[in-house]
Each structure stands twice: as C-alpha cells, then as structure tokens.
Amino acid sequence: LKSMSGRSVAEGLALVRSTIGALAKEVGADPRLVAVSKIMPVDVVMEAYKENQRHFGENYVQELCEKAPQMPKDIKWHFIGNLQSNKAKILVKEVPNLFVVESVDSVKIANALEKACVSVGRKEVLNVMVQVNTSQEESKSGCEAVEATTIASHITTDCKSLKLMGLMTIGKLGDPNPQPYFAQLTKVRSEVEAHLKLPPNSLELSMGMSGDYELAIRMGSTNVRVGSTIFGARPKKEKPAGGAASTSEGAGRGGARMLF
C-alpha cells in the first residue's frame, strides 16, 4: 500500500524510526513512537503493525471503539483527542487495551475516567497525561499551565485507578517555531514534579508531531505522535461523534486542520 507521498507505510515507518534512532543517540534518550492512525482504515494500520509498531494514537472515541476490536489485542492504544466526560465509560469499556489517555485537561475528565475504570472493572491501572494548552489558543483543548499542578495532584491523590504518566501539548497551529511551547511544557513538568515531590524528569513529556518531532526529541520529548509521515495524507472524512479532535495530528475545538 502506497501513500500519496509514494511511500509505503513500512517505508514511512522505517524513515521515522531511523530519524528517531539517530536523535536518540544524540540526546541519550529512547523516545516512544506513537503512530497516529486516525481516519486510516484497519488494513492500512495493520501495515504498521506488521512492522512491529504497537503504540497507536486515535483522536475519536467512536473510531477507536470500532477499530480496537478488529485489531490485535497487544496494541497499546493512546487516546489523544478531546474527550467528553460522557464518553469516558464507553472508551474504557470498549478498549480494554487502552494504554493511556493523553488528553486529560480537567478534574472533571479525570473523575469520569476514574469512575469508568471502577464501573467496568478494569484490572490494569490506566495511564493518563495532563494536556496543557501551552500556546493559549482559545480553540485548543488543554488546561492552562497554572492549572496543571492542581489536576495532576488530584489524579495522584484521588484517582486510584489512574496513574499520572506525564504531560502533553501541541504547538501553535501555523507557528513554524514550536520551541516556546515545548519549553513551557518542560517548565510545567518541573513545577508539577516539585509539587508532588517526584524525582526530576520522572514524568513523561508527550510533544512533537510529523512536522516538529525532531526538535521535540532534542528538547526532551519522551513520546512523539507521528501520523502523516508514516501513513501519508489522510482521506477526508466527516468528523464522527464522540469528541472533536484536539491533539496530535488533529484539530482544535474550532475544527481547524493541523497539517503535520
């Protein structure tokens, strides 16, 4: 299967892995690659799976709930879209191999996920990340930087079914220099770790997409979300119900496309 770029999924994946591998040696780290598979059909996503890719990212609850049962159970799904609290239960119930929800941006969402895990009897603790709106765009999901510590503290103190894994952000749409946003997330991480008395750099940083993941890794990202470089340009599709895209190779609340 060839993408519109002329590359197969296997070739796109190999290209990204090669780039990450070289950067990992340069910075002395081992960042995780999340293949953002939203709007891609199962057979295309399976091309990446066959190349031993296991971490995949999805933006829409309905789409992920439809895909997950059709695909191998050892996939580690990352939910990276704007999650509505009333969709938390179906997400947790229908996707038992949900690895992390990267887009927790309020105490309300954390509570909804906690309640969902208890309600469906999920055995494994669910990893979560606090999404921070570092660019302060009104159209974008994510909490304010000053709210991150409160949400993180609530998760660690009051949500026994959840595990605080780290923080997530995306750069500003159309800004060719995401450096300030990545720097801001790193600063917020330090503040959260200090407040929670965690060792420095023990929380993950999820930042970087197809257009800026190299810079993100250089700035300390442990989790990059890459879609179009692997899968090619996405086919146009009407937005399904279950939460607007908000992160990774998605759109803000206002629906503006992110062309990464």
Side-chain angles (χ1 to χ4, degrees), residues 140-180:
K140 194 177 289 176
S141 299
C143 68
E144 296 295 319
V146 294
E147 299 171 325
T149 297
T150 301
I151 298 169
S153 182
H154 176 78
I155 291 166
T156 55
T157 305
D158 298 319
C159 300
K160 304 304 180 192
S161 303
L162 308 182
K163 179 185 177 185
L164 180 65
M165 184 177 178
L167 304 174
M168 184 270 269
T169 198
I170 48 178
K172 186 176 181 180
L173 178 62
D175 190 336
N177 177 27
Q179 192 272 345

Side-chain angles (χ1 to χ4, degrees), residues 88-114:
K89 184 174 180 180
I90 189 170
L91 177 64
V92 173
K93 182 181 180 183
E94 298 295 327
V95 191
N97 50 333
L98 182 64
F99 177 69
V100 59
V101 176
E102 296 195 22
S103 47
V104 175
D105 61 1
S106 67
V107 166
K108 181 181 180 182
I109 294 296
N111 286 343
L113 287 168
E114 169 69 18

Side-chain angles (χ1 to χ4, degrees), residues 1-3 7-14 44-49 51 229-232:
L1 289 169
K2 296 280 183 180
S3 71
R7 284 193 303 263
S8 68
V9 169
E11 289 166 344
L13 188 58
V44 174
V45 184
M46 281 303 297
E47 292 291 310
Y49 179 88
E51 298 297 321
T229 306
I230 297 171
F231 295 109

Side-chain angles (χ1 to χ4, degrees), residues 6-241:
R7 284 193 303 263
S8 68
V9 169
E11 289 166 344
L13 188 58
L15 177 70
V16 175
R17 283 174 170 170
S18 173
T19 304
I20 290 176
L23 284 166
K25 286 181 183 174
E26 181 185 313
V27 302
D30 186 22
R32 180 189 302 107
L33 170 61
V34 180
V36 179
S37 48
K38 69 165 194 179
I39 308 182
M40 290 296 163
V42 167
D43 61 336
V44 174
V45 184
M46 281 303 297
E47 292 291 310
Y49 179 88
K50 289 170 188 171
E51 298 297 321
N52 295 315
Q53 179 65 26
R54 292 297 179 267
H55 288 267
F56 291 90
E58 290 284 341
N59 285 65
Y60 305 113
V61 171
Q62 181 179 319
E63 184 177 356
L64 177 51
C65 289
E66 289 170 0
K67 270 183 186 168
Q70 301 178 59
M71 298 191 67
K73 299 296 179 276
D74 62 335
I75 286 175
K76 297 179 185 295
W77 292 106
H78 292 232
F79 187 77
I80 55 178
N82 177 22
L83 180 63
Q84 298 164 330
S85 57
N86 64 343
K87 301 292 183 183
K89 184 174 180 180
I90 189 170
L91 177 64
V92 173
K93 182 181 180 183
E94 298 295 327
V95 191
N97 50 333
L98 182 64
F99 177 69
V100 59
V101 176
E102 296 195 22
S103 47
V104 175
D105 61 1
S106 67
V107 166
K108 181 181 180 182
I109 294 296
N111 286 343
L113 287 168
E114 169 69 18
K115 186 178 177 183
C117 288
V118 172
S119 174
V120 306
R122 182 183 163 102
K123 293 180 176 60
E124 290 185 5
V125 171
L126 176 63
N127 294 313
V128 295
M129 295 188 186
V130 175
Q131 183 186 351
V132 183
N133 183 356
T134 53
S135 58
Q136 298 182 311
E137 294 170 273
E138 287 186 15
S139 64
K140 194 177 289 176
S141 299
C143 68
E144 296 295 319
V146 294
E147 299 171 325
T149 297
T150 301
I151 298 169
S153 182
H154 176 78
I155 291 166
T156 55
T157 305
D158 298 319
C159 300
K160 304 304 180 192
S161 303
L162 308 182
K163 179 185 177 185
L164 180 65
M165 184 177 178
L167 304 174
M168 184 270 269
T169 198
I170 48 178
K172 186 176 181 180
L173 178 62
D175 190 336
N177 177 27
Q179 192 272 345
Y181 316 117
F182 296 163
Q184 169 84 334
L185 193 69
T186 305
K187 179 174 178 283
V188 173
R189 174 175 68 173
S190 296
E191 293 167 356
V192 170
E193 288 170 341
H195 182 81
L196 298 178
K197 297 182 171 57
L198 295 172
N201 305 331
S202 58
L203 292 176
E204 291 204 28
L205 292 176
S206 176
M207 56 191 196
M209 302 179 287
S210 285
D212 54 22
Y213 73 90
E214 294 176 57
L215 174 65
I217 291 171
R218 286 197 175 96
M219 294 186 66
S221 178
T222 62
N223 188 84
V224 293
R225 311 175 305 265
V226 181
S228 55
T229 306
I230 297 171
F231 295 109
R234 292 184 186 82
K236 289 196 186 306
K237 179 181 175 181
E238 288 299 308
K239 186 182 75 179

